[in-house]
Amino acid sequence: MHISAFGAALRTPDLRKKIFFTLSLLALFRLGSVVPTPGIDYTAVQTCIAQVQDNSVYALVNLFSGGALLRLSVFALGIMPYITASIILQLLTVVIPRLETLKADGTAGQAKITQYTRYLTIGLAILQSTAILSLARTPGTLFQGCNQEIMPNQGLWVMLVMVTVMTAGTAIIMWFGELITERGIGNGMSLLIFTSIIATIPSQFVGIWVSHGPFSFLLTLLVGLAVVALVVFVEQAQRRIPVQYAKRMVGRRMYGGTSTYIPLKVNMAGVIPVIFASSLLFLPTLLVQLTGADGSFAQWIQQNFGSGTGTWYLLFYFLLIVFFCYFYVSITFNPVEVADNMKKYGGFIPGIRAGKPTAQYLDYVLTRLTAPGALYLGLIAIMPVFAFNFLGVANRFIFGGTSLLIMVGVGLDTVKQIQSQLQQRNYEGFLR
């Protein structure tokens, strides 16, 4: 069905243009991920990457940049500043009345919040690029154990140019994401993350084949396929709340009298909680590296959070996913607003009174539906870690759960958007 949807989309002129436009921007995104920033010794960087490629900390750094960060390329920061800015703005929306008012204002308010997110993204990009370049100045700091001179010229003007280039790269990535969302297919930011992740997977599989042999490679593939099958099954699952609309007269015409449903997915939050949790859990290790702390607490952070496989890391990872799952669902689905809209248009849930009882019922169902969804996300994220540890390939495929969740989730959403646009086009042709 999905293959036929892509075939039908390619045969449709306007959808074909959108698909090629999206693919073109994704290709430019990958091109910018391999173009080195001016002032970087590319040969020295490649030498250092070869020495630390098995380090899980660097695999975490490269998860959302597709390997661009360690190359210190033009798009080195990837989409991470935008993700961090989005997290901060969504958290502040709950505690700052002004932002909450903007969110309730509809399209105009959301546009203002988006503008604030852009400004914050640029600020974070300046801070992150400055921090990364300060680490790269000293041999053996960014790439621990590699004493190559990555930045031969460390003058003030050169540093300013490098920070400007990296920050501009982040702005271009943010622009690409918005262009894909507006004029392409799918959610632009999600597709950029999707592209970054799949760019690193082939090299990981090749590394497993070379270092562990074909048997471990096949078992790793089976684990990945099992996770994909489970993700697809749960992502399609939903609870349908029946809604009945009463008949009403408007002028001389009768409206209503139809039955529909509210689809509540088991995983209402999608992959957002996984992305948020991954981003936040990298901060302790990053702070230790930036400050150069070597005390007992810093060593504990490096030991338990640096590898990405420690017990404390997995525990916090699971708890953060559950927390962000409930948090994200609570800010994206408002039962009171849904109940008010239903009441305004004469809709009601059979057996439930309109208004406040409907809101309470929706909140009751959503809360209990989010529980298995949150547990599912947490288990899928950490389960492959244990499986890959058992297979002995964890240092090369540490982000199996996170990567597969994002790839399958974004892939399914993109296919659904293509199918919905095809259906809309068919309806328009029928009406004509």
Side-chain angles (χ1 to χ4, degrees):
M1 181 177 179
H2 293 170
I3 297 177
S4 62
F6 277 110
L10 291 176
R11 291 191 298 269
T12 307
D14 54 343
L15 284 182
R16 184 170 61 244
K17 290 180 181 179
K18 290 183 178 182
I19 292 175
F20 286 149
F21 177 78
T22 302
L23 293 177
S24 300
L25 289 185
L26 293 180
L28 289 175
F29 171 64
R30 289 306 305 158
L31 178 63
S33 300
V34 298
V35 175
T37 301
I40 294 296
D41 187 344
Y42 187 74
T43 305
V45 169
Q46 292 300 314
T47 302
C48 290
I49 290 177
Q51 293 184 14
V52 302
Q53 62 181 354
D54 292 338
N55 193 315
S56 297
V57 177
Y58 297 106
L60 175 57
V61 173
N62 270 344
L63 177 61
F64 295 121
S65 67
L69 183 55
L70 290 187
R71 296 191 190 100
L72 297 176
S73 66
V74 175
F75 291 165
L77 301 180
I79 202 68
M80 282 303 298
Y82 183 85
I83 294 175
T84 307
S86 300
I87 294 174
I88 294 174
L89 261 298
Q90 289 190 2
L91 291 175
L92 291 179
T93 302
V94 183
V95 297
I96 298 180
R98 168 64 178 165
L99 293 177
E100 190 174 358
T101 303
L102 287 175
K103 182 183 176 183
D105 285 344
T107 305
Q110 189 60 45
K112 199 69 175 178
I113 293 178
T114 302
Q115 196 70 18
Y116 292 155
T117 306
R118 293 171 183 165
Y119 294 148
L120 184 57
T121 299
I122 298 301
L124 291 175
I126 295 174
L127 292 176
Q128 291 183 18
S129 59
T130 304
I132 291 170
L133 291 176
S134 65
L135 289 176
R137 294 178 62 182
T138 305
T141 304
L142 180 62
F143 298 95
Q144 297 179 3
C146 180
N147 295 321
Q148 295 283 334
E149 188 75 28
I150 300 174
M151 298 171 55
N153 188 348
Q154 300 183 8
L156 178 60
W157 174 249
V158 175
M159 294 290 291
L160 288 176
V161 170
M162 296 174 72
V163 170
T164 303
V165 168
M166 286 188 176
T167 304
T170 298
I172 292 174
I173 292 174
M174 184 169 54
W175 181 51
F176 281 177
E178 293 178 354
L179 282 178
I180 292 174
T181 302
E182 293 175 3
R183 300 172 54 187
I185 294 291
N187 182 282
M189 299 301 174
S190 298
L191 282 174
L192 292 177
I193 298 174
F194 174 86
T195 305
S196 298
I197 292 175
I198 65 173
T200 61
I201 294 232
S203 61
Q204 291 176 334
F205 278 130
V206 171
I208 294 172
W209 180 282
V210 172
S211 61
H212 294 81
F215 181 71
S216 295
F217 174 77
L218 291 176
L219 288 180
T220 304
L221 278 181
L222 290 177
V223 172
L225 290 175
V227 176
V228 168
L230 181 59
V231 169
V232 171
F233 176 77
V234 178
E235 289 295 327
Q236 303 291 342
Q238 59 182 223
R239 168 77 181 276
R240 296 181 175 182
I241 307 296
V243 178
Q244 181 72 37
Y245 284 92
K247 294 182 179 181
R248 56 194 178 96
M249 289 290 295
V250 179
R252 294 185 176 183
R253 302 188 65 177
M254 180 75 71
Y255 292 92
T258 59
S259 298
T260 183
Y261 60 88
I262 302 175
L264 298 180
K265 295 179 62 177
V266 174
N267 179 24
M268 289 281 289
V271 298
I272 299 299
V274 178
I275 297 175
F276 283 7
S278 301
S279 304
L280 288 182
L281 280 182
F282 175 63
L283 292 179
T285 306
L286 179 63
L287 291 175
V288 169
Q289 290 185 350
L290 291 178
T291 58
D294 57 356
S296 57
F297 181 71
Q299 293 178 2
W300 185 85
I301 291 292
Q302 288 283 13
Q303 180 181 357
N304 292 279
F305 287 81
S307 65
T309 58
T311 303
W312 283 105
Y313 177 90
L314 296 178
L315 177 61
F316 278 105
Y317 191 29
F318 181 83
L319 293 178
L320 280 175
I321 289 175
V322 173
F323 167 75
F324 277 121
C325 193
Y326 275 95
F327 172 77
Y328 192 76
V329 170
S330 67
I331 65 175
T332 55
F333 187 90
N334 188 347
V336 176
E337 182 179 351
V338 174
D340 290 342
N341 290 334
M342 289 171 53
K343 185 177 180 180
K344 183 189 303 183
Y345 294 103
F348 63 93
I349 299 174
I352 307 294
R353 287 188 299 171
K356 186 177 179 180
T358 298
Q360 292 176 342
Y361 176 76
L362 290 175
D363 182 67
Y364 173 85
V365 174
L366 187 64
T367 302
R368 280 146 186 80
L369 198 63
T370 305
L375 293 177
Y376 144 79
L377 277 181
L379 291 176
I380 288 294
I382 66 174
M383 182 180 67
V385 175
F386 294 103
F388 295 139
N389 276 334
F390 176 76
L391 296 174
V393 298
N395 61 335
R396 290 188 177 273
F397 210 75
I398 182 62
F399 302 107
T402 305
S403 301
L404 291 175
L405 271 172
I406 295 174
M407 288 189 299
V408 175
V410 174
L412 288 175
D413 288 340
T414 305
V415 170
K416 287 180 180 178
Q417 288 201 25
I418 292 176
Q419 290 177 338
S420 65
Q421 293 197 28
L422 285 173
Q423 291 176 355
Q424 182 180 2
R425 181 178 176 82
N426 291 335
Y427 289 147
E428 290 176 353
F430 177 75
L431 290 175
R432 289 172 186 168

